[in-house]
Amino acid sequence: MEDKDIDLNYNELLLILSSDYDIYYIHRNKRFEKLFFIEPVFEDLINDIHDTSFLQLKENKSSLQEKDLTNNLKNSFLNKFQRNQSIKDVLNEKKIYENILTLSRHIYKFD
């Protein structure tokens, strides 16, 4: 099969992603503007990661290196879900924490 480029606008892509029952869309959330996620991740977990990272930054009273914050979050959340292997697999990846930090309305990243 040949790869073809497809030109989609924002609304078309939103319709396609929203129509997939395996992809969940958070339209409005006080922590994030818009967000898609795939099982086994769920909205409460995403919010909990966000709130925990926000509290760690607030308690530190200064900025933190992203790698230090993501390592702290990873260790903390892996301990919370020791029995659920599918969630542990997701939480073991640093990318989920980096993405949540990037999508947050309340956390800002600087180079």
Side-chain angles (χ1 to χ4, degrees):
M1 185 156 106
E2 184 179 321
D3 287 342
K4 295 183 181 182
D5 288 340
I6 299 173
D7 190 22
L8 296 172
N9 68 33
Y10 172 81
N11 290 325
E12 292 168 333
L13 184 58
L14 182 61
L15 176 65
I16 291 168
L17 289 172
S18 299
S19 299
D20 189 329
Y21 292 114
D22 294 327
I23 299 175
Y24 298 93
Y25 176 52
I26 301 174
H27 180 64
R28 293 179 195 253
N29 180 312
K30 68 180 181 179
R31 296 166 185 88
F32 304 100
E33 196 66 40
K34 295 177 182 157
L35 177 69
F36 289 93
F37 62 93
I38 301 173
E39 284 189 359
V41 176
F42 47 92
E43 186 175 0
D44 290 343
L45 175 59
I46 293 169
N47 290 335
D48 193 17
I49 292 171
H50 173 274
D51 294 347
T52 302
S53 59
F54 187 76
L55 281 174
Q56 285 186 15
L57 288 167
K58 194 173 182 178
E59 288 171 359
N60 194 46
K61 297 186 180 178
S62 68
S63 62
L64 287 172
Q65 291 289 326
E66 184 178 23
K67 66 179 181 174
D68 295 333
L69 181 57
T70 54
N71 283 334
N72 291 346
L73 292 169
K74 181 178 170 182
N75 293 333
S76 173
F77 282 92
L78 280 174
N79 289 332
K80 286 185 180 183
F81 295 95
Q82 291 182 353
R83 295 181 185 213
N84 189 327
Q85 189 59 45
S86 59
I87 290 181
K88 273 183 74 172
D89 291 343
V90 172
L91 293 175
N92 202 28
E93 297 293 325
K94 289 177 68 171
K95 198 69 175 164
I96 187 171
Y97 308 105
E98 293 168 357
N99 289 337
I100 289 172
L101 294 173
T102 301
L103 295 171
S104 170
R105 289 180 173 187
H106 306 108
I107 298 172
Y108 299 96
K109 292 173 46 172
F110 300 98
D111 290 336

